[in-house]
């Protein structure tokens, strides 16, 4: 059977009514191809332009290696000047990527170059939205965002392969307890079902994002991303109207994160080994019970 992937719906444009009724309320992913037509960034945000704007900033870089339980969460693998990194990803494949550096914070003029899709919904967050950069072949491991926001993810200057799963598949994806990421030991593109049998039959969606495409990812959606070219994206985040989801977001950001940090700090590899073992057990149980139903 394998992992069952279907294409994410794609439209050029969409009305607010259709978006709310067909995608926001049912929490269904969508790619909007021309949502960025009015953005100056669509033509303006070239690699050269970003280098000129923030090229001298030192940035943390992250690779595809499995997290080390002895190090703080989100510990970087290296650092370099942003401009040098941009040169690197244009020149050759690399698994180095940026996800905790926001050029807009250092160059507020970039705020004028994009538009939040407020014509489709409200509740947008972040004065300085997140930007992500990756070299060809770099991978963002399977996870969902801890704050449970809706995400409008727009890609620039290349292609990115995206695979999404509804949150109901969490246990079958080998979710790590007290976290919002999955076991990092399997390759979602070519999983070993003898080692990870719970993945067999999991249903998801996929898309290849190209320059200017905007992906709507509803709250809690698992996402895995692979840069097919050296390229970058910007994510605009918006609250879900549900107070239950907002409460869960607050819990994730405070109680769960603090508990996980304390346990990881005190018990390191023992704690991580226990969590991974529990992820396997929960996945096997979900598979045996035919979850989700």
């Amino acid at each position: 059977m394998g992992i069952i992937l279907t294409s994410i719906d794609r439209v050029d444009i969409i009305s607010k009514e259709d978006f709310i009724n067909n995608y926001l309320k049912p929490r269904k992913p969508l790619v909007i191809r021309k949502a960025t037509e009015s953005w100056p960034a669509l033509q303006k945000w070239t690699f050269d332009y970003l280098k000129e704007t923030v090229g001298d900033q030192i940035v943390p870089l992250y690779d595809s290696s499995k997290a080390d339980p002895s190090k703080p969460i989100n510990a970087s693998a290296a650092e370099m000047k942003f401009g040098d990194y941009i040169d690197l990803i244009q020149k050759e494949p690399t698994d180095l990527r940026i996800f905790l550096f926001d050029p807009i914070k250092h160059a507020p003029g970039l705020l004028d170059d994009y538009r939040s899709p407020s014509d489709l919904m409200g509740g947008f967050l972040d004065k300085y939205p997140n930007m992500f950069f990756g070299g060809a072949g770099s991978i963002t491991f399977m996870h969902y965002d801890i704050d449970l926001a809706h995400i409008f993810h727009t890609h620039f200057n290349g292609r990115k392969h995206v695979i999404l799963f509804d949150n109901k598949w969490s246990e079958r994806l080998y979710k790590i307890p007290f976290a919002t990421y999955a076991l990092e030991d399997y390759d979602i593109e070519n999983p070993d079902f003898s080692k990870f049998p719970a993945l067999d039959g999991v249903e998801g969606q996929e898309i290849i994002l190209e320059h200017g495409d905007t992906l709507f990812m509803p709250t809690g959606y698992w996402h895995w991303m692979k840069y097919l070219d050296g390229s970058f994206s910007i994510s605009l985040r918006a609250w879900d109207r549900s107070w239950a989801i907002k409460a869960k977001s607050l819990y994730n950001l405070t109680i769960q994160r603090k508990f996980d940090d304390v346990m990881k700090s005190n018990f390191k590899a023992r704690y991580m080994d226990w969590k991974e073992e529990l992820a396997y057990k929960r996945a096997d149980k979900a598979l045996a019970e035919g979850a989700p139903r």
Side-chain angles (χ1 to χ4, degrees), residues 246-258:
K246 290 176 181 176
K248 177 62 174 175
S249 170
L250 183 62
Y251 169 83
N252 287 349
L253 291 165
T254 55
I255 298 172
Q256 177 176 281
R257 174 179 276 179
K258 183 64 175 178

Side-chain angles (χ1 to χ4, degrees), residues 14 16 18-19 25 30 32 61 69 74 94 99 103 121 132 196 226 233 243 253-254 281:
I14 190 169
K16 181 175 183 177
D18 285 346
F19 174 75
K25 286 183 177 178
L30 174 70
I32 310 172
L61 303 176
N74 294 330
T94 175
F99 73 94
M121 66 175 293
F132 307 87
F196 306 99
K226 182 177 183 178
S233 307
W243 284 104
L253 291 165
T254 55
K281 289 180 178 179

Side-chain angles (χ1 to χ4, degrees), residues 206-276:
E206 67 176 337
I207 195 74
I208 303 294
L209 294 179
E210 298 184 352
H211 179 70
D213 285 346
T214 297
L215 169 64
F216 167 66
M217 289 187 287
T219 173
Y221 254 76
W222 288 89
H223 43 285
W224 171 96
M225 299 182 176
K226 182 177 183 178
Y227 291 83
L228 303 181
D229 308 293
S231 48
F232 61 94
S233 307
I234 183 171
S235 282
L236 307 179
R237 299 155 57 248
W239 279 122
D240 188 85
R241 295 182 65 181
S242 165
W243 284 104
I245 288 179
K246 290 176 181 176
K248 177 62 174 175
S249 170
L250 183 62
Y251 169 83
N252 287 349
L253 291 165
T254 55
I255 298 172
Q256 177 176 281
R257 174 179 276 179
K258 183 64 175 178
F259 171 81
D260 198 52
D261 287 346
V262 169
M263 294 293 289
K264 186 175 180 182
S265 175
N266 288 326
F267 299 102
K268 297 183 172 62
R270 284 175 56 202
Y271 174 59
M272 296 301 292
D273 290 345
W274 172 78
K275 290 208 299 180
E276 290 189 3

